[in-house]
Amino acid sequence: MPPEARRKLVLEFVVHHDIPLPPLAIWAGLNRQHRVTFSYRTMQNILSDLVDDGDLFKVDTEELRDGEISKIEGDSSSRRAYYFATEQGIERVENEIDDN
């Protein structure tokens, strides 16, 4: 699977599930539903790229426990991450990916 197709698949998966998901759940779901052949580490890199591009954000797990879905503020590199789609990511899936 080409790298851009991987990115689209990961983004589409997160958008269509519409709940904050940890990386392992995303990867396991992709394996179960799409039989992906790329590694967990590759998927983590894709998630990081999608965050950098503004399509996903890391969810504050402290606030998630209170039912709130909000972006982690500041340096989140050392915190356990859940991922959720931004409006930009949702629009990309609706406009670019779903059209294919």
Side-chain angles (χ1 to χ4, degrees):
M1 178 179 285
E4 188 55 33
R6 294 174 187 172
R7 288 172 51 91
K8 287 179 180 181
L9 185 62
V10 171
L11 179 58
E12 189 175 42
F13 185 88
V14 174
V15 166
H16 286 162
H17 281 82
D18 196 31
I19 58 171
L21 293 168
L24 189 57
I26 297 168
W27 189 70
L30 288 168
N31 274 318
R32 183 165 175 80
Q33 293 179 5
H34 300 282
R35 304 275 189 239
V36 296
T37 57
F38 53 87
S39 70
Y40 176 66
R41 183 70 188 136
T42 296
M43 200 255 342
Q44 289 178 305
N45 291 334
I46 292 168
L47 289 172
S48 180
D49 290 345
L50 289 169
V51 168
D52 291 345
D53 292 345
D55 292 323
L56 298 179
F57 67 87
K58 288 184 176 183
V59 174
D60 186 324
T61 55
E62 294 296 320
E63 291 190 26
L64 187 59
R65 289 187 186 107
D66 296 328
E68 299 293 322
I69 300 173
S70 60
K71 183 178 179 179
I72 292 176
E73 298 299 330
D75 180 22
S76 63
S77 59
S78 64
R79 295 180 63 181
R80 180 165 286 169
Y82 279 58
Y83 293 86
F84 195 69
T86 62
E87 286 301 316
Q88 173 183 304
I90 293 166
E91 288 174 12
R92 269 198 35 165
V93 168
E94 290 173 349
N95 296 330
E96 296 175 20
I97 297 172
D98 283 347
D99 288 344
N100 293 332

